[in-house]
Amino acid sequence: YKSKAAKTKAVINLVRELHEKGQPVLIGTNSIDSSEHFHAALTKAGLKHEMLNAKNHEREATIITEAGAKGAITIATNMAGRGTDIKLAPGVKENGGLAILGTERHESRRIDLQLRGRSGRQGDPGESQFYVSLEDNLMSMFGSDRVANVMDRLNFEEGEVITHPWMTKSLERAQSKVEQNNFSIRKKQLEYDDV
């Protein structure tokens, strides 16, 4: 999406649709700010949900185990609920299992895969989908201006979904660059530590 507002609207619309058919939804965010943003959007839309982030860690295990209930909506930051399985309630498998909605791509592909892996565990059905806007941190770091210019020339509307292979490649390149940069930082720290 061109903007975070358009992305948020698309996520909320899909969450409502999945919730109404009884499919549980886990909304993955990569920061507390982002989870608070989606909490406010879901509250405004009148969708009852649970929020799992560092602010309510004492209820973490309870919230994540209940995330597989029929029609449940749970917002979780990338580290929340690790090590706790999401058990699907009776009737949920027939509705498609757990739906994972990533609200942006993380700097590391490994974290994206971990979020995606929360769905479809041990042979259960499930699905995952990531939503990205050109205003997201990862995109703004690596040339979202060029992509925005191309989108303007191709007359993309504000809320229009962009599903093009070059967008996926652009995201993968950005993630790869960040991963390489983080690796070189860790390598330098190890060299300094050896001294």
Side-chain angles (χ1 to χ4, degrees):
Y1 292 90
K2 275 176 121 175
S3 69
K4 282 187 180 181
K7 175 182 74 171
T8 300
K9 185 177 177 183
V11 169
I12 298 303
N13 288 340
L14 182 58
V15 168
R16 179 179 281 111
E17 181 184 314
L18 296 171
H19 174 70
E20 286 172 357
K21 79 172 197 173
Q23 189 171 2
V25 180
L26 178 67
I27 301 169
T29 64
N30 68 353
S31 69
I32 291 175
D33 288 342
S34 183
S35 67
E36 296 282 350
H37 168 78
F38 280 95
H39 166 66
L42 287 168
T43 302
K44 185 177 177 184
L47 293 167
K48 188 176 176 240
H49 60 280
E50 286 282 357
M51 188 163 69
L52 182 58
N53 61 26
K55 290 184 176 181
N56 52 7
H57 58 76
E58 62 280 346
R59 292 185 50 231
E60 186 171 302
T62 305
I63 292 171
I64 205 69
T65 54
E66 294 171 0
K70 192 170 187 175
I73 303 170
T74 309
I75 304 170
T77 55
N78 61 1
M79 296 302 280
R82 289 182 63 171
T84 307
D85 277 339
I86 298 173
K87 304 269 190 272
L88 299 183
V92 168
K93 289 180 183 180
E94 294 75 26
N95 285 339
L98 180 65
I100 302 290
L101 302 181
T103 58
E104 58 190 292
R105 297 292 285 269
H106 295 82
E107 290 184 356
S108 169
R109 290 170 286 192
R110 181 181 55 81
I111 297 172
D112 285 347
L113 292 173
Q114 283 176 343
L115 177 59
R116 188 165 283 175
R118 300 293 289 184
S119 176
R121 288 174 112 57
Q122 300 173 352
D124 288 338
E127 59 186 275
S128 63
Q129 186 169 347
F130 280 83
Y131 287 78
V132 178
S133 87
L134 295 179
E135 295 174 349
D136 290 348
N137 292 340
L138 186 66
M139 291 303 290
S140 61
M141 278 192 285
F142 296 100
S144 63
D145 296 339
R146 287 191 321 268
V147 177
N149 290 337
V150 170
M151 287 173 62
D152 288 339
R153 277 186 262 139
L154 296 174
N155 296 322
F156 276 98
E157 296 296 321
E158 176 63 26
E160 194 172 344
V161 181
I162 309 150
T163 54
H164 198 279
W166 52 259
M167 277 303 289
T168 305
K169 288 287 184 207
S170 177
L171 278 165
E172 288 172 359
R173 273 195 305 272
Q175 285 177 314
S176 180
K177 285 179 185 177
V178 171
E179 288 169 357
Q180 288 170 4
N181 187 42
N182 290 342
F183 175 77
S184 83
I185 289 169
R186 288 192 305 273
K187 188 176 174 186
K188 272 287 181 219
Q189 283 179 332
L190 189 60
E191 288 173 11
Y192 292 145
D193 189 52
D194 287 343
V195 171

